PDB file of all heavy atoms in Angstrom:
ATOM      1  N   TYR V  11     -90.686 -36.566 214.969  1.00 87.00           N
ATOM      2  CA  TYR V  11     -91.531 -37.233 213.987  1.00 87.00           C
ATOM      3  C   TYR V  11     -90.837 -38.532 213.575  1.00 87.00           C
ATOM      4  O   TYR V  11     -89.903 -38.527 212.767  1.00 87.00           O
ATOM      5  CB  TYR V  11     -91.777 -36.311 212.793  1.00 87.00           C
ATOM      6  CG  TYR V  11     -92.457 -35.023 213.189  1.00 87.00           C
ATOM      7  CD1 TYR V  11     -91.702 -33.902 213.546  1.00 87.00           C
ATOM      8  CD2 TYR V  11     -93.844 -34.932 213.242  1.00 87.00           C
ATOM      9  CE1 TYR V  11     -92.322 -32.718 213.940  1.00 87.00           C
ATOM     10  CE2 TYR V  11     -94.469 -33.752 213.632  1.00 87.00           C
ATOM     11  CZ  TYR V  11     -93.706 -32.647 213.978  1.00 87.00           C
ATOM     12  OH  TYR V  11     -94.317 -31.479 214.370  1.00 87.00           O
ATOM     13  N   ILE V  12     -91.298 -39.631 214.141  1.00 90.00           N
ATOM     14  CA  ILE V  12     -90.593 -40.909 214.025  1.00 90.00           C
ATOM     15  C   ILE V  12     -90.381 -41.322 212.577  1.00 90.00           C
ATOM     16  O   ILE V  12     -89.279 -41.714 212.168  1.00 90.00           O
ATOM     17  CB  ILE V  12     -91.348 -42.016 214.776  1.00 90.00           C
ATOM     18  CG1 ILE V  12     -91.577 -41.614 216.240  1.00 90.00           C
ATOM     19  CG2 ILE V  12     -90.593 -43.329 214.695  1.00 90.00           C
ATOM     20  CD1 ILE V  12     -90.312 -41.404 217.014  1.00 90.00           C
ATOM     21  N   GLY V  13     -91.449 -41.248 211.753  1.00 89.00           N
ATOM     22  CA  GLY V  13     -91.339 -41.671 210.352  1.00 89.00           C
ATOM     23  C   GLY V  13     -90.300 -40.860 209.597  1.00 89.00           C
ATOM     24  O   GLY V  13     -89.465 -41.418 208.873  1.00 89.00           O
ATOM     25  N   ASP V  14     -90.337 -39.539 209.760  1.00 89.00           N
ATOM     26  CA  ASP V  14     -89.377 -38.669 209.073  1.00 89.00           C
ATOM     27  C   ASP V  14     -87.958 -38.920 209.569  1.00 89.00           C
ATOM     28  O   ASP V  14     -87.002 -38.949 208.789  1.00 89.00           O
ATOM     29  CB  ASP V  14     -89.745 -37.197 209.288  1.00 89.00           C
ATOM     30  CG  ASP V  14     -91.055 -36.825 208.609  1.00 89.00           C
ATOM     31  OD1 ASP V  14     -91.500 -37.587 207.735  1.00 89.00           O
ATOM     32  OD2 ASP V  14     -91.607 -35.764 208.942  1.00 89.00           O
ATOM     33  N   TYR V  15     -87.843 -39.106 210.890  1.00 92.00           N
ATOM     34  CA  TYR V  15     -86.502 -39.330 211.447  1.00 92.00           C
ATOM     35  C   TYR V  15     -85.893 -40.615 210.904  1.00 92.00           C
ATOM     36  O   TYR V  15     -84.738 -40.629 210.438  1.00 92.00           O
ATOM     37  CB  TYR V  15     -86.572 -39.392 212.981  1.00 92.00           C
ATOM     38  CG  TYR V  15     -85.255 -39.747 213.616  1.00 92.00           C
ATOM     39  CD1 TYR V  15     -84.298 -38.771 213.861  1.00 92.00           C
ATOM     40  CD2 TYR V  15     -84.951 -41.070 213.943  1.00 92.00           C
ATOM     41  CE1 TYR V  15     -83.070 -39.094 214.419  1.00 92.00           C
ATOM     42  CE2 TYR V  15     -83.734 -41.412 214.501  1.00 92.00           C
ATOM     43  CZ  TYR V  15     -82.794 -40.422 214.735  1.00 92.00           C
ATOM     44  OH  TYR V  15     -81.588 -40.759 215.279  1.00 92.00           O
ATOM     45  N   LEU V  16     -86.657 -41.698 210.933  1.00 92.00           N
ATOM     46  CA  LEU V  16     -86.122 -42.980 210.462  1.00 92.00           C
ATOM     47  C   LEU V  16     -85.817 -42.937 208.964  1.00 92.00           C
ATOM     48  O   LEU V  16     -84.843 -43.535 208.511  1.00 92.00           O
ATOM     49  CB  LEU V  16     -87.112 -44.095 210.777  1.00 92.00           C
ATOM     50  CG  LEU V  16     -87.304 -44.416 212.268  1.00 92.00           C
ATOM     51  CD1 LEU V  16     -88.362 -45.493 212.451  1.00 92.00           C
ATOM     52  CD2 LEU V  16     -85.977 -44.846 212.896  1.00 92.00           C
ATOM     53  N   ALA V  17     -86.647 -42.234 208.192  1.00 90.00           N
ATOM     54  CA  ALA V  17     -86.411 -42.139 206.752  1.00 90.00           C
ATOM     55  C   ALA V  17     -85.100 -41.433 206.449  1.00 90.00           C
ATOM     56  O   ALA V  17     -84.411 -41.759 205.471  1.00 90.00           O
ATOM     57  CB  ALA V  17     -87.568 -41.404 206.084  1.00 90.00           C
ATOM     58  N   ASP V  18     -84.712 -40.464 207.302  1.00 89.00           N
ATOM     59  CA  ASP V  18     -83.484 -39.696 207.069  1.00 89.00           C
ATOM     60  C   ASP V  18     -82.241 -40.342 207.662  1.00 89.00           C
ATOM     61  O   ASP V  18     -81.113 -39.925 207.340  1.00 89.00           O
ATOM     62  CB  ASP V  18     -83.629 -38.283 207.659  1.00 89.00           C
ATOM     63  CG  ASP V  18     -84.664 -37.447 206.922  1.00 89.00           C
ATOM     64  OD1 ASP V  18     -84.976 -37.786 205.759  1.00 89.00           O
ATOM     65  OD2 ASP V  18     -85.163 -36.475 207.512  1.00 89.00           O
ATOM     66  N   THR V  19     -82.441 -41.331 208.543  1.00 92.00           N
ATOM     67  CA  THR V  19     -81.283 -41.870 209.285  1.00 92.00           C
ATOM     68  C   THR V  19     -81.110 -43.371 209.117  1.00 92.00           C
ATOM     69  O   THR V  19     -80.502 -44.033 209.966  1.00 92.00           O
ATOM     70  CB  THR V  19     -81.442 -41.549 210.786  1.00 92.00           C
ATOM     71  OG1 THR V  19     -82.660 -42.153 211.279  1.00 92.00           O
ATOM     72  CG2 THR V  19     -81.491 -40.049 211.027  1.00 92.00           C
ATOM     73  N   MET V  20     -81.611 -43.939 208.023  1.00 90.00           N
ATOM     74  CA  MET V  20     -81.561 -45.391 207.834  1.00 90.00           C
ATOM     75  C   MET V  20     -80.137 -45.934 207.824  1.00 90.00           C
ATOM     76  O   MET V  20     -79.890 -47.083 208.185  1.00 90.00           O
ATOM     77  CB  MET V  20     -82.271 -45.770 206.532  1.00 90.00           C
ATOM     78  CG  MET V  20     -83.781 -45.588 206.588  1.00 90.00           C
ATOM     79  SD  MET V  20     -84.571 -46.625 207.837  1.00 90.00           S
ATOM     80  CE  MET V  20     -84.251 -48.262 207.159  1.00 90.00           C
ATOM     81  N   ARG V  21     -79.163 -45.145 207.422  1.00 89.00           N
ATOM     82  CA  ARG V  21     -77.791 -45.635 207.304  1.00 89.00           C
ATOM     83  C   ARG V  21     -76.942 -45.373 208.543  1.00 89.00           C
ATOM     84  O   ARG V  21     -75.739 -45.662 208.540  1.00 89.00           O
ATOM     85  CB  ARG V  21     -77.118 -44.997 206.085  1.00 89.00           C
ATOM     86  CG  ARG V  21     -77.786 -45.386 204.767  1.00 89.00           C
ATOM     87  CD  ARG V  21     -77.015 -44.840 203.590  1.00 89.00           C
ATOM     88  NE  ARG V  21     -77.635 -45.221 202.324  1.00 89.00           N
ATOM     89  CZ  ARG V  21     -77.151 -44.920 201.123  1.00 89.00           C
ATOM     90  NH1 ARG V  21     -76.031 -44.217 201.026  1.00 89.00           N
ATOM     91  NH2 ARG V  21     -77.774 -45.306 200.037  1.00 89.00           N
ATOM     92  N   LEU V  22     -77.554 -44.841 209.596  1.00 94.00           N
ATOM     93  CA  LEU V  22     -76.786 -44.583 210.805  1.00 94.00           C
ATOM     94  C   LEU V  22     -76.645 -45.841 211.656  1.00 94.00           C
ATOM     95  O   LEU V  22     -77.573 -46.652 211.754  1.00 94.00           O
ATOM     96  CB  LEU V  22     -77.458 -43.489 211.641  1.00 94.00           C
ATOM     97  CG  LEU V  22     -77.566 -42.095 211.031  1.00 94.00           C
ATOM     98  CD1 LEU V  22     -78.113 -41.119 212.065  1.00 94.00           C
ATOM     99  CD2 LEU V  22     -76.241 -41.617 210.485  1.00 94.00           C
ATOM    100  N   SER V  23     -75.498 -45.962 212.281  1.00 95.00           N
ATOM    101  CA  SER V  23     -75.290 -47.053 213.233  1.00 95.00           C
ATOM    102  C   SER V  23     -75.918 -46.677 214.573  1.00 95.00           C
ATOM    103  O   SER V  23     -76.360 -45.534 214.773  1.00 95.00           O
ATOM    104  CB  SER V  23     -73.792 -47.304 213.420  1.00 95.00           C
ATOM    105  OG  SER V  23     -73.189 -46.177 214.052  1.00 95.00           O
ATOM    106  N   THR V  24     -75.928 -47.642 215.497  1.00 95.00           N
ATOM    107  CA  THR V  24     -76.478 -47.352 216.824  1.00 95.00           C
ATOM    108  C   THR V  24     -75.713 -46.212 217.490  1.00 95.00           C
ATOM    109  O   THR V  24     -76.309 -45.309 218.088  1.00 95.00           O
ATOM    110  CB  THR V  24     -76.414 -48.608 217.700  1.00 95.00           C
ATOM    111  OG1 THR V  24     -77.162 -49.665 217.083  1.00 95.00           O
ATOM    112  CG2 THR V  24     -77.006 -48.335 219.084  1.00 95.00           C
ATOM    113  N   LEU V  25     -74.395 -46.226 217.378  1.00 96.00           N
ATOM    114  CA  LEU V  25     -73.573 -45.157 217.940  1.00 96.00           C
ATOM    115  C   LEU V  25     -73.924 -43.814 217.310  1.00 96.00           C
ATOM    116  O   LEU V  25     -74.069 -42.795 218.004  1.00 96.00           O
ATOM    117  CB  LEU V  25     -72.097 -45.468 217.724  1.00 96.00           C
ATOM    118  CG  LEU V  25     -71.108 -44.352 218.126  1.00 96.00           C
ATOM    119  CD1 LEU V  25     -71.157 -44.137 219.630  1.00 96.00           C
ATOM    120  CD2 LEU V  25     -69.699 -44.708 217.664  1.00 96.00           C
TER     121      LEU V  25
END
Side-chain angles (χ1 to χ4, degrees):
Y11 300 90
I12 305 298
D14 293 343
Y15 175 84
L16 292 177
D18 293 339
T19 60
M20 290 298 294
R21 296 185 179 182
L22 296 186
S23 66
T24 301
L25 173 66

